[in-house]
Amino acid sequence: MDGTTARKVPYFSQWETPDMTMAVVEEGAKAALLKDPLWASSGASDVEEYALWAGNACGMACLKMILAARTGEALPIVPLALQCKEYGGYVVQPEGGIKGLIYAPFVQFVKDRFALNAKVVTGISSGDIPDILAQAEFFIASVHHFIRWPEREPPSKGGHLVLVTSATPETIRFHNPSGHDAAARENAELPLADFERFFAGRGIAICH
């Protein structure tokens, strides 16, 4: 399958209740996610652990979608994050914040645990993504989280991850783990020029 071909890829939010995005925007992830009634589905040991990790779990949501597309199995997000942390893909800061996703350790993690052939890609533009997807199965792209509102101008690029499932020379289709409504979550589609406004020029290719 090449990068121009649409495919059915299961969608998962980084929060267990996908409709919590606006609460997270308004209140902050840690405060809002303590009220997620479905938190236990994340695999966290308690709601505090869930609220800590889910706010940083866009990369794990992308991985969950990739694994579900390949195997049909949906793995819980918090155990995935904790396993990735053991490889150095996340670093818990002394004040309690989390740094990550760190790409190189993530690549090693998914190779060892899931036999995924992943590679870090940097220094590209959105116009390069169709060529990447001609060779790779998926592309996890670093974008600004404002991509859920494509009419807005982002203050910067990067800081959030989305799963690009297909691309043509005109458009990019992706799943956004923190989309605020159905259209912004699953199979969101943007012209390359619009995607470029949010795209940090880096990501992770998951090869066949």
Side-chain angles (χ1 to χ4, degrees):
M1 178 178 296
D2 64 35
T4 67
T5 307
R7 61 179 299 186
K8 179 62 179 173
V9 179
Y11 173 82
F12 297 101
S13 171
Q14 66 189 89
W15 352 109
E16 295 305 312
T17 300
D19 287 338
M20 296 209 66
T21 294
M22 290 312 300
V24 170
V25 171
E26 291 162 6
E27 303 172 35
K30 286 185 181 179
L33 295 174
L34 290 173
K35 296 177 279 190
D36 189 337
L38 301 180
W39 70 266
S41 299
S42 71
S45 58
D46 54 44
V47 69
E48 288 80 12
E49 183 179 53
Y50 165 67
L52 172 67
W53 282 99
N56 296 274
C58 49
M60 294 303 99
C62 291
L63 176 60
K64 181 176 180 176
M65 292 186 249
I66 291 165
L67 294 173
R70 283 194 163 194
T71 69
E73 185 178 3
L75 299 180
I77 280 181
V78 171
L80 283 175
L82 295 174
Q83 292 171 40
C84 187
K85 171 179 166 284
E86 294 304 309
Y87 277 77
Y90 292 102
V91 176
V92 179
Q93 310 279 22
E95 73 281 3
I98 295 173
K99 179 183 178 184
L101 184 66
I102 303 169
Y103 291 1
F106 171 82
V107 166
Q108 191 63 47
F109 161 58
V110 299
K111 177 183 178 183
D112 288 355
R113 296 295 179 93
F114 304 110
L116 292 180
N117 179 14
K119 65 178 181 179
V120 178
V121 182
T122 60
I124 63 167
S125 72
S126 60
D128 296 313
I129 295 176
D131 288 339
I132 291 170
L133 283 178
Q135 308 296 324
E137 190 174 5
F138 298 103
F139 184 64
I140 301 173
S142 176
V143 299
H144 192 273
H145 63 80
F146 273 22
I147 200 165
R148 69 172 74 96
W149 299 302
E151 71 281 0
R152 300 189 185 184
E153 199 60 36
S156 59
K157 296 185 176 187
H160 177 56
L161 296 170
V162 299
L163 180 65
V164 179
T165 57
S166 65
T168 72
E170 291 77 39
T171 61
I172 289 178
R173 179 176 291 182
F174 59 96
H175 286 349
N176 182 356
S178 68
H180 64 296
D181 60 22
R185 288 178 198 134
E186 187 171 358
N187 293 319
E189 199 167 280
L190 285 179
L192 261 66
D194 286 340
F195 193 89
E196 181 70 21
R197 294 190 293 113
F198 304 91
F199 181 47
R202 61 182 180 268
I204 302 164
I206 307 294
C207 302
H208 293 281

